[in-house]
Amino acid sequence: MSEMEAGARGTRPTAWVDGRLVAADEPALLVGDRGFQLGDGLFETLRVRRGVAIEIGLHLARLREGLGIMAIPMPLSDAELAAGIAAVVAADSLLDAAARITVSRGAPSDRGLLPAGWRTLVPTVVIQARPHVPVTADVLARGVRAVIATGRRDPAHPLASVKTTSRVDHVHAKLEAERAGADDAITLTVDGHVAEATAANVGLLVGKRLVTPPLAAGILAGTTREWLLRPEGASALGLVAVEAWITPDDLVAADEVWLCSSVAGFQALVALDGAPIGGGVPGPWAARLRAAREAWIVATSGG
């Protein structure tokens, strides 16, 4: 897109759709697209700071793994996807952004779960970016209050850890939280272990031991969670990070509990189903982890 086109578009957001930049508030997809019709697609959301897509390799590897499970071909290389992200961020002049890559199976000419010719469908690839809006100081000071979702996660389900565009179960859990006057919901496995929040991984701290559920709990392999387990994460702060099965009682009894995601970072969980955690106020480690992660992002993006 030329500078003239970008200027004429002004503050209207831009999207990258199948290799072309379009106005994000204008129609750009066919009504028969499987992502719209059936939620038949996957997505990834990541931070982009000063033009650097943070942990893009991890995000694209997770995306490709999920596409393989769903037998959706990826028509673009990692370099082309990275270029698409860069194009959208540049078009909207974003210094710090949250970018999303969405891939659907495409738009068949016939209906059905697997219509004739589904193997030769051309997938739809959309890239969007929005300004990164940090969690407000008020929310960080107050902490997050959650309820236990009524839905249960089956770790044996083949799509338990795949980030599909069909997130209606997460939406339902968030609705339950809102109706209860809470901020978020924690999903449990079918046998009552903690899985994850609606859009974040979960962890707890007892002393200097930091525990997060294993991937076997059917959770998303979050990139911030993975950073926590790497040498530059928890251990750099003097904590011992481990993966282990945990229960709601473990959360309530912990010194601190946190939620983490690639865009929102770390937030303290201060209550679960009305029971206070850590005295019902954010402890010091959620803020330290948040600051350490942000400092790592700044360093990774070149300052």
Side-chain angles (χ1 to χ4, degrees):
M1 182 175 65
S2 69
E3 292 182 0
M4 182 178 297
E5 289 174 319
R9 190 163 290 166
T11 58
R12 295 172 66 189
T14 306
W16 188 97
V17 181
D18 294 332
R20 58 192 177 91
L21 288 173
V22 300
D25 55 359
E26 292 182 356
L29 300 178
L30 296 173
V31 295
D33 191 275
R34 300 266 298 195
F36 169 69
Q37 294 281 354
L38 296 172
D40 187 11
L42 291 88
F43 74 100
E44 285 289 328
T45 305
L46 64 154
R47 278 281 297 277
V48 181
R49 190 178 189 279
R50 295 189 178 277
V52 177
I54 305 300
E55 296 172 322
I56 187 171
L58 293 176
H59 283 280
L60 293 184
R62 189 171 67 185
L63 175 64
R64 290 184 182 278
E65 181 179 3
L67 290 171
I69 291 171
M70 288 301 297
I72 299 175
M74 167 53 80
L76 303 172
S77 67
D78 285 3
E80 288 171 317
L81 291 170
I85 293 173
V88 171
V89 169
D92 290 345
S93 301
L94 299 175
L95 292 178
D96 201 347
R100 169 171 165 147
I101 305 171
T102 306
V103 183
S104 83
R105 196 177 301 275
S109 58
D110 201 357
R111 62 183 301 275
L113 292 178
L114 290 178
W118 68 270
R119 289 184 177 83
T120 59
L121 283 177
V122 178
T124 301
V125 183
V126 176
I127 300 175
Q128 302 162 270
R130 294 289 185 272
H132 174 244
V133 180
V135 179
T136 66
D138 287 346
V139 172
L140 292 176
R142 173 174 56 85
V144 175
R145 298 178 182 275
V147 296
I148 295 177
T150 57
R152 292 291 182 265
R153 180 71 53 82
D154 180 2
H157 194 287
L159 300 181
S161 59
V162 177
K163 200 167 185 178
T164 69
T165 55
S166 178
R167 310 301 278 177
V168 68
D169 53 339
H170 297 252
V171 174
H172 183 263
K174 193 75 170 181
L175 285 171
E176 290 184 322
E178 181 175 303
R179 290 163 183 163
D183 306 298
D184 207 346
I186 302 295
T187 301
L188 306 182
T189 64
V190 289
D191 58 358
H193 287 95
V194 172
E196 59 189 1
T198 57
N201 290 121
V202 181
L204 63 83
L205 188 70
V206 176
K208 292 296 184 71
R209 187 171 186 264
L210 197 156
V211 186
T212 186
L215 297 180
I219 63 173
L220 183 72
T223 57
T224 302
R225 172 189 176 277
E226 182 169 325
W227 170 86
L228 194 65
L229 297 169
R230 296 201 303 263
E232 63 266 33
S235 63
L237 298 174
L239 300 175
V240 177
V242 299
E243 297 174 279
W245 295 90
I246 57 179
T247 67
D249 288 343
D250 293 328
L251 295 183
V252 174
D255 296 333
E256 293 188 38
V257 177
W258 41 263
L259 309 179
C260 70
S261 67
S262 60
V263 174
F266 287 86
Q267 298 183 73
L269 181 65
V270 298
L272 182 64
D273 275 352
I277 297 171
V281 296
W285 278 104
R288 291 171 188 168
L289 288 167
R290 181 179 184 84
R293 171 68 174 175
E294 192 63 26
W296 180 83
I297 289 173
V298 170
T300 300
S301 62

